[in-house]
Amino acid sequence: MAKQKKYRIRKLRVAVALLFVSFIILVGVFIVLLINKDKSPQMTDGTQTADVEDSGEEVESEGEDDGDEESAGEEEVAEPTPEPTVDPYVITEFNPTHTRETRPSRLMEYTNVRVNDTTLSSVRDYTAEETIDFGLGRDYTDLEGVFTFRGNNFRDTPSYGSALMRRYRMRKMWSIGTKSVTIGGQYWSGNGWTGQPLLVKWPAETKKNMNMYDWAKQDDNVVEAIHASLDGNIYFTDINTGKPTRDTMRTGFVFKGAGAIDPRGYPILYVGAGYNSSAGTARAFIISLIDCHIMYEFGQTDPFSLRGSLSFFDSSSLVDAETDTLIQPGENGILYLIKLNTRYNEKRGRLSIKPGRIVKWRYKGKRNNYSNYWYGMEDSAAIYKGYLFIAENGGHLMCLDLNRMRLVWVQDILDDSNSTPVLSVEDGKLYLYVSTSFHLGWRSSSTAEIPSWKIDAENGSVIWKTSYECHSVDGNSGGVQSTIAVGHRTLDDYIYVTVSKTDSLYNGVMVALKKKNGKKAWEQKGPYTWSSPVCVYNSDESGKDVVCYARSDSKLMMLDGITGETLDEITLGSGNIEASPAVYNNILVLGTRGCNIFGIRLR
């Protein structure tokens, strides 16, 4: 028994030793393979493997025998590592200043700042309590939809998402009727300039707090279109069905502009009246969309205005989410910055604002006066970082430092402008595109040159301009009353401009200009338009990206964005279409002066 036990122990020791030796050999082999990994010869079957770093998948590429005997046996040169993709919308440098031509003192007499009830003796005395610092337009909101005129603080995206288009056709899905009013002999009907709808896909948690109909609260596919209209009403509609999502809000005030939704997703609508009415003097409103009541109003007959008692608000506001600041230009020539002190308890459905510090800024240009080359801002402001870009009624394009309330540069754009500046990032630099209208009698009583400009956003200098000769009539101006559409994706080389009253009082053009040099890529002639064009991008990457625009002959056009070919056209009721469309995926929404709002499917 003792001998057998010793034998088993000896046998066990041998086995352990053999296992240890085997382990050492395996470790050695592994180390050799690791050292020689990058020196492995090419596989004899003509294939080689390469690791894809991002996915970890193995990709094979077939080797080819080209019959070149001299190259036989030579080591293949490894493919170079591709450069990381550069984001084309990143701004590498932005240090705003002025040139000799754009020095503010060349065109401006003075500017003033008022903080609450005190007008500062000098703008140099102004101190910001918080720093305003906007990012790129695509970062304006995290929610789904079109939240302000032309979508964001760059004013470059009046369409959300993309549309699967294969037939390139437009089909009327639904329409709803609007109304008209006559005030002081002035007739207002439906939706006019600029009149863009706001499109919002509200989160379910937000919808449960609002006065939406139960079916709309329960339907996760509802996207709400909000139309502030000329007839004094605000309409709420589901873009998929055309059904009202809640009761119409009746205010009695004439709304020309688009309004804006709070980019933080708070149920707040900011909108201004564009004309006095039986309801009272025009003013700007902050409206709770929980129950559609007016929380705050401002701007009516403001004594700080150099334009007298006029207090119209066509401009679509922006909100700086970080500082809780509303930024609202007025046709009274005042820019308002209002600290909102917003409180929103989503669980309890409670919303309040308590406006605190109110900063007002005004300007006086060397050719501004009440009767000629007016004061006032009818277009909407574009903003990047703390710099606001806006055109005004007296023919000045201005860059204002919001954190110091000082003008950085001013460019002469000749005439009364209603065209909102659009920001565009190209090769790491920031530019803006803008045009102007033709106010009859200021520069001419017959025809006048109407340029579209590309401007260096850092210093206001002109990169190029492309002009049309235009006619005009009092009260129905020629030139560019619309906002330029800046192309992206396959349309990245172009901007799109609708110019009204070229050749005659009734005609106009849609023109595609090359971003690089302003040369015409193509143009389409037809009845004039004040409506702004919109670029719609195909979710099928092999398909066409298109441009849609509406005309004064009641037609909505769909064009190939690269060639200008007409792909489709449809008639939307009767009357002029001045308002601008907004798009959510494949649904375009547009109001008309003919007292209809239409939902159009793009296919």
Side-chain angles (χ1 to χ4, degrees):
M1 290 289 293
K3 288 182 179 181
Q4 288 180 355
K5 185 175 181 180
K6 288 180 181 180
Y7 175 78
R8 291 194 191 100
I9 293 172
R10 193 180 301 117
K11 189 174 180 179
L12 181 61
R13 287 174 178 172
V14 171
V16 170
L18 289 172
L19 285 172
F20 180 77
V21 171
S22 299
F23 174 78
I24 294 297
I25 293 172
L26 287 171
V27 171
V29 171
F30 177 80
I31 292 172
V32 171
L33 289 172
L34 190 63
I35 292 172
N36 290 285
K37 179 180 179 182
D38 295 330
K39 300 180 181 180
S40 300
Q42 184 175 321
M43 294 183 179
T44 57
D45 65 356
T47 63
Q48 63 182 26
T49 63
D51 291 327
V52 179
E53 184 177 347
D54 290 340
S55 65
E57 296 176 354
E58 189 176 78
V59 178
E60 289 192 348
S61 59
E62 294 294 329
E64 293 181 358
D65 181 4
D66 59 6
D68 186 350
E69 292 181 357
E70 292 183 1
S71 66
E74 292 183 358
E75 183 177 350
E76 285 194 3
V77 178
E79 289 288 332
T81 303
E83 293 292 328
T85 302
V86 177
D87 189 335
Y89 303 113
V90 169
I91 299 170
T92 56
E93 186 177 351
F94 187 67
N95 299 302
T97 185
H98 59 257
T99 67
R100 181 177 181 180
E101 178 191 355
T102 63
R103 183 184 297 274
S105 60
R106 180 173 169 268
L107 293 170
M108 288 287 158
E109 286 191 17
Y110 62 81
T111 63
N112 300 122
V113 178
R114 185 174 180 85
V115 180
N116 294 330
D117 297 324
T118 302
T119 300
L120 305 183
S121 58
S122 169
V123 294
R124 296 182 182 276
D125 296 334
Y126 177 76
T127 302
E129 292 186 342
E130 298 174 283
T131 301
I132 292 174
D133 187 18
F134 281 78
L136 298 173
R138 65 186 183 188
D139 301 324
Y140 183 62
T141 181
D142 294 330
L143 299 180
E144 297 183 24
V146 179
F147 279 60
T148 187
F149 181 64
R150 310 301 275 182
N152 56 45
N153 55 295
F154 270 37
R155 307 295 182 177
D156 70 339
T157 313
S159 60
Y160 175 85
S162 58
L164 179 58
M165 295 177 287
R166 291 179 177 146
R167 298 177 59 193
Y168 305 103
R169 293 290 181 266
M170 299 181 289
R171 180 176 64 84
K172 284 183 272 191
M173 301 167 57
W174 53 264
S175 68
I176 63 169
T178 55
K179 298 180 180 180
S180 63
V181 294
T182 300
I183 301 168
Q186 181 71 47
Y187 177 72
W188 303 100
S189 62
N191 295 93
W193 183 95
T194 56
Q196 177 206 282
L198 304 171
L199 308 178
V200 189
K201 188 171 185 179
W202 297 105
E205 294 78 9
T206 307
K207 286 200 295 183
K208 71 182 182 182
N209 296 323
M210 296 195 291
N211 62 347
M212 298 176 79
Y213 299 145
D214 288 340
W215 73 265
K217 291 182 180 183
Q218 295 163 10
D219 188 343
D220 293 337
N221 295 317
V222 164
V223 176
E224 188 172 53
I226 301 173
H227 261 105
S229 301
L230 293 171
D231 62 9
N233 296 320
I234 301 174
Y235 297 89
F236 303 90
T237 310
D238 173 30
I239 70 168
N240 295 292
T241 64
K243 294 169 59 177
T245 51
R246 59 177 105 191
D247 289 344
T248 298
M249 183 178 178
R250 308 186 189 283
T251 70
F253 287 92
V254 172
F255 296 116
K256 292 194 288 181
I261 298 295
D262 197 292
R264 296 166 290 188
Y266 298 164
I268 304 175
L269 171 65
Y270 308 93
V271 66
Y275 202 75
N276 297 331
S277 69
S278 57
T281 304
R283 63 199 71 179
F285 302 92
I286 302 177
I287 297 171
S288 167
L289 291 180
I290 288 181
D291 56 4
C292 290
H293 84 274
I294 296 170
M295 294 193 289
Y296 185 71
E297 52 190 65
F298 63 94
Q300 61 268 42
T301 319
D302 195 321
F304 192 59
S305 171
L306 296 174
R307 196 169 173 175
S309 60
L310 183 144
S311 53
F312 304 162
F313 289 87
D314 293 346
S315 179
S316 181
S317 61
L318 293 169
V319 173
D320 181 44
E322 293 299 320
T323 63
D324 192 27
T325 301
L326 174 67
I327 301 171
Q328 175 71 64
E331 199 175 345
N332 59 4
I334 300 173
L335 175 71
Y336 296 83
L337 275 67
I338 302 176
K339 177 71 174 180
L340 295 171
N341 294 312
T342 310
R343 291 186 178 182
Y344 177 48
N345 186 320
E346 190 166 69
K347 289 185 177 180
R348 296 187 177 183
R350 293 181 180 176
L351 172 68
S352 68
I353 61 169
K354 189 178 181 181
R357 192 179 198 231
I358 300 176
V359 177
K360 302 177 186 180
W361 176 86
R362 70 182 182 189
Y363 64 93
K364 187 179 190 306
K366 292 183 178 180
R367 66 184 178 203
N368 285 117
N369 58 62
Y370 184 73
S371 60
N372 198 13
Y373 285 87
W374 304 323
Y375 303 97
M377 295 165 279
E378 286 185 83
D379 60 323
S380 299
I383 305 177
Y384 177 63
K385 296 294 185 181
Y387 298 90
L388 176 144
F389 306 90
I390 196 162
E392 59 93 41
N393 292 151
H396 302 108
L397 175 66
M398 304 179 289
C399 172
L400 175 69
D401 183 341
L402 292 172
N403 293 307
R404 299 193 306 156
M405 300 309 288
R406 297 188 204 175
L407 285 170
V408 179
W409 56 256
V410 181
Q411 178 60 264
D412 184 0
I413 56 171
L414 304 178
D415 213 320
D416 175 16
S417 182
N418 299 315
S419 177
T420 291
V422 183
L423 293 174
S424 177
V425 183
E426 300 165 26
D427 298 323
K429 279 186 63 66
L430 187 65
Y431 300 95
L432 65 83
Y433 296 96
V434 72
S435 190
T436 190
S437 60
F438 173 18
H439 191 84
L440 194 68
W442 286 9
R443 292 185 292 144
S444 168
S445 296
S446 55
T447 64
E449 176 195 12
I450 299 297
S452 293
W453 289 275
K454 180 177 183 175
I455 303 286
D456 186 328
E458 276 194 297
N459 57 36
S461 60
V462 174
I463 306 300
W464 55 252
K465 71 173 183 177
T466 299
S467 299
Y468 281 85
E469 193 74 11
C470 293
H471 300 259
S472 192
V473 293
D474 202 18
N476 192 345
S477 297
V480 177
Q481 301 283 26
S482 60
T483 292
I484 292 169
V486 173
H488 299 302
R489 286 186 24 169
T490 65
L491 311 182
D492 198 47
D493 292 336
Y494 309 101
I495 66 167
Y496 302 91
V497 191
T498 54
V499 188
S500 67
K501 303 188 185 300
T502 59
D503 297 332
S504 75
L505 287 172
Y506 308 102
N507 295 331
V509 299
M510 154 68 87
V511 60
L513 302 177
K514 295 181 180 179
K515 289 181 181 177
K516 184 177 181 180
N517 52 29
K519 291 184 177 180
K520 298 175 187 177
W522 54 261
E523 66 178 20
Q524 181 182 92
K525 295 184 178 181
Y528 78 88
T529 180
W530 282 11
S531 178
S532 301
V534 57
C535 298
V536 184
Y537 302 99
N538 204 327
S539 57
D540 181 354
E541 293 185 359
S542 64
K544 300 175 182 178
D545 293 335
V546 305
V547 180
C548 296
Y549 79 105
R551 306 191 309 200
S552 57
D553 63 349
S554 308
K555 286 188 176 179
L556 176 66
M557 311 294 294
M558 176 191 283
L559 309 184
D560 184 318
I562 294 177
T563 68
E565 174 193 1
T566 298
L567 301 173
D568 197 17
E569 59 182 70
I570 57 174
T571 300
L572 300 180
S574 61
N576 192 356
I577 304 177
E578 297 175 3
S580 298
V583 179
Y584 186 97
N585 290 337
N586 66 327
I587 298 177
L588 181 149
V589 183
L590 176 61
T592 74
R593 288 300 298 265
C595 293
N596 282 290
I597 298 172
F598 291 92
I600 311 296
R601 184 174 295 278
L602 310 177
R603 305 183 284 170

